[in-house]
Amino acid sequence: MCSADGGSGCADACCEGPPLDTKPLVIIPTYNEADNLRAIVGATLAALPSATILIIDDKSPDGTGAIADELRAADQRVRVIHRAGKLGLGTAYIRGFEYALAGEYSCVFEMDADFSHDPRYLQPMLRELQTCDVVIGSRYVAGGDTPDWIFTRRLISNAGNLFARALLRVPLKDCTAGFKCYRREVLAACDFGAIPLEGYAFQIETVYQAYRRGFRLREVPIVFVDRHLGHSKMSRQIVLEAFTYVVRRRFLNPLPTQATRQRLR
Ligand SMILES: Nc1nc2c(ncn2[C@@H]2O[C@H](COP(=O)(O)OP(=O)(O)O)[C@@H](O)[C@H]2O)c(=O)[nH]1
Ligand SMILES: [Mg+2]
């Protein structure tokens, strides 16, 4: 490990990072994804055969949980956590991070079940993680795109990102991205459950905390396509949550920056 960067990994060739490609965990939260689950699990294992997949299902009424159990019985790389009811995306990921830390996973992916996050990006993201701490599959860097979105949806998403970036000063083009890969050290150091959050706000909180704690973030371009099967669970309330969270985080309980931390030590 390199001392120059506080032990969170280093881009220098002299530094040896943890063996990242040996134990990736891909967390896939599901709610009513019966039409997508078999295909996404198959595509994920084909793209990253060394991965373990953790499905976290919230008692989906459409039988997604039973399909998850079937996939688990067929392949030991698939694991399943059933929760009692729809408890939200944020807490599903937190449960998945706890699972990862209780095991020996060296890096952890967040990925949707609906193919908006194409598994073909898993290998390139893992390669990037060799020289940083969090890789973000970004729609807003050169090469990234949201080809299916109408103008107003792009506008809302861009405005939300601008707002988050301006207030929280996270140097990312895509702060609300949900396709990400973390080194386990990041998950061990952060407390993403500190504020209960559901949707885009949870995604912003993860990069905010990681950045403020001195971890290195890197965006890689992804083309984000809309789901073909099933329905989005995002709502107006989740968009509102993101706006109010950004304001609260900025003005009520901002985290100190890494530089401030070092001064206080
Ligand atoms: N376990 C769990 N998964 C959820 C919940 N809400 C959404 N998801 C899953 O999280 C992922 C992203 O949700 P989605 O509805 O596609 O959001 P969108 O991509 O922003 O439209 C999908 O895999 C959903 O099935 C929830 O409350 N619990
Ligand atoms: Mg989706």
Side-chain angles (χ1 to χ4, degrees), residues 168-215:
L168 299 179
R169 301 192 182 282
V170 179
L172 291 176
K173 296 258 193 263
D174 197 345
C175 298
T176 54
F179 195 10
K180 295 203 283 255
C181 185
Y182 307 85
R183 282 179 181 247
R184 89 177 263 129
E185 291 81 358
V186 178
L187 304 180
C190 294
D191 178 12
F192 297 140
I195 308 174
L197 298 167
E198 272 234 12
Y200 303 119
F202 175 78
Q203 302 300 358
I204 303 169
E205 171 73 0
T206 59
V207 288
Y208 174 72
Q209 277 203 33
Y211 179 64
R212 287 276 161 151
R213 292 177 196 280
F215 291 106

Side-chain angles (χ1 to χ4, degrees), residues 14-212:
C14 67
C15 294
E16 209 182 291
L20 287 170
D21 51 354
T22 53
K23 269 252 179 187
L25 180 73
V26 181
I27 303 173
I28 306 182
T30 55
Y31 192 75
N32 285 349
E33 300 289 359
D35 293 335
N36 290 311
L37 191 57
R38 284 191 187 87
I40 195 75
V41 166
T44 300
L45 290 174
L48 200 60
S50 62
T52 300
I53 296 178
L54 176 63
I55 300 164
I56 303 186
D57 185 68
D58 279 2
K59 216 172 183 182
S60 298
D62 73 347
T64 302
I67 296 170
D69 287 339
E70 191 189 292
L71 292 165
R72 183 210 162 114
D75 193 318
Q76 60 172 15
R77 291 172 294 177
V78 179
R79 312 286 158 83
V80 185
I81 292 176
H82 296 280
R83 300 200 302 171
K86 191 173 186 323
L87 299 172
L89 188 63
T91 61
Y93 274 126
I94 288 166
R95 182 68 191 87
F97 296 159
E98 286 165 3
Y99 182 96
L101 291 174
E104 290 176 351
Y105 300 98
S106 55
C107 57
V108 178
F109 283 90
E110 287 183 12
M111 195 174 93
D112 287 6
D114 58 8
F115 283 95
S116 288
H117 301 157
D118 192 323
R120 77 186 150 107
Y121 296 117
L122 290 167
Q123 287 280 11
M125 287 171 76
L126 202 49
R127 271 198 299 277
E128 282 298 323
L129 199 69
Q130 300 288 341
T131 53
C132 67
D133 302 309
V134 184
V135 176
I136 295 108
S138 174
R139 298 159 291 184
Y140 302 127
V141 290
D145 200 3
T146 51
D148 301 333
W149 286 9
I150 56 168
F151 177 74
T152 40
R153 184 153 180 215
R154 275 179 209 211
L155 195 71
I156 292 167
S157 177
N158 274 298
N161 262 293
L162 259 175
F163 183 69
R165 204 160 63 226
L167 264 70
L168 299 179
R169 301 192 182 282
V170 179
L172 291 176
K173 296 258 193 263
D174 197 345
C175 298
T176 54
F179 195 10
K180 295 203 283 255
C181 185
Y182 307 85
R183 282 179 181 247
R184 89 177 263 129
E185 291 81 358
V186 178
L187 304 180
C190 294
D191 178 12
F192 297 140
I195 308 174
L197 298 167
E198 272 234 12
Y200 303 119
F202 175 78
Q203 302 300 358
I204 303 169
E205 171 73 0
T206 59
V207 288
Y208 174 72
Q209 277 203 33
Y211 179 64
R212 287 276 161 151

Side-chain angles (χ1 to χ4, degrees), residues 198 200 232-241:
E198 272 234 12
Y200 303 119
S232 171
K233 285 97 215 170
M234 288 303 156
S235 60
R236 206 169 285 172
Q237 195 215 319
I238 282 174
V239 175
L240 192 67
E241 175 199 54

